[in-house]
Structures are given as C-alpha cells and as structure tokens.
C-alpha cells in the first residue's frame, strides 16, 4: 500500500520561508509525476507546482519566482521550498503522486494527508 507522508508546515510571518517534504512509502519503484496542491478555506483545491521524473516543472503563476519544487527519485520524495511567503499562501498543502509503479490500482492518484501552512501579516 502506497502512502504519502508530508512534513514541514507551520506558522510563519509574511516574507518568511518554509520547506515542505513528502515521501512515498511502500514498495514504490517509480513515480511519474509528483506535485503540491493547496486548499484554502472556502476555496477549491488548486495546483501549486508539479515535477516529473525527468525534472520537468510546472508552477501556478502566483508562486513563480517564490516557490521551488524538487524531487529525489531514488527516495521517492518531493520538496517544496517556499520563500517570500504571503498571507494569501495560507492553506492546507497536499502532496500528490501520479503514475505510481507498481500500484494495486493502476492510474490511481495518491494524496497525502495535508499539512497546514499559515502566513501571518
């Protein structure tokens, strides 16, 4: 059974930094794409950043230049370095993984439990 375990959330002042980590546990040989989503109260979950196994990245416009996504394939781990944080970045951040091999459910998207990020003004 594949599980995604996140860490690194917390409370920070505006302008500060946080680093989120997400590790996939279980018998995972490869993951095609890993990413971070966030959901603020009363809003839909939105993509923050994603990275493929060959290093291709995708960011939402509002975080470009401030957030950096990276991964270590050998550890099935993805990171999100968040700098120059703003109050509007406050949300629960979720890690996800697509194209997990092997998987008891091919094509399934896996999600972490979420970690709270709160940015005070």
């Amino acid at each position: 059974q594949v599980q995604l375990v996140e860490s690194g959330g917390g409370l920070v002042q505006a302008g500060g930094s946080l680093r989120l980590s997400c590790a996939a546990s279980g018998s995972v040989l490869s993951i095609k794409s890993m990413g971070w989503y966030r959901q603020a109260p009363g809003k839909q979950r939105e993509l923050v950043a994603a990275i493929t196994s060959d290093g291709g990245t995708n960011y939402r416009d509002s975080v470009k230049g401030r957030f950096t996504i990276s991964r270590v394939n050998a550890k099935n781990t993805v990171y999100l370095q968040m700098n120059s944080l703003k109050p509007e970045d406050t949300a629960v951040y979720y890690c996800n993984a697509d194209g997990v091999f092997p998987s008891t459910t091919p094509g399934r998207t896996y999600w972490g439990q979420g970690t709270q990020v709160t940015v005070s003004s």
Side-chain angles (χ1 to χ4, degrees), residues 25-108:
S25 64
S27 301
V28 177
L29 296 179
S30 65
I31 302 175
K32 185 176 181 180
S33 176
M34 299 187 78
W36 291 94
Y37 284 69
R38 68 187 181 189
Q39 188 167 19
K43 295 187 177 182
Q44 290 188 332
R45 190 173 296 189
E46 61 186 20
L47 173 68
V48 177
I51 184 168
T52 60
S53 57
D54 61 1
T57 59
N58 180 36
Y59 295 91
R60 73 179 302 102
D61 288 344
S62 62
V63 308
K64 287 180 180 178
R66 299 188 298 122
F67 291 9
T68 302
I69 190 169
S70 60
R71 64 186 283 178
V72 178
N73 290 334
K75 295 183 177 180
N76 293 315
T77 299
V78 64
Y79 306 95
L80 186 68
Q81 178 66 42
M82 304 185 293
N83 298 328
S84 302
L85 281 160
K86 303 176 181 180
E88 51 263 43
D89 295 318
T90 295
V92 178
Y93 283 69
Y94 297 90
C95 170
N96 93 329
D98 281 315
V100 177
F101 180 79
S103 172
T104 57
T105 311
R108 172 184 171 181

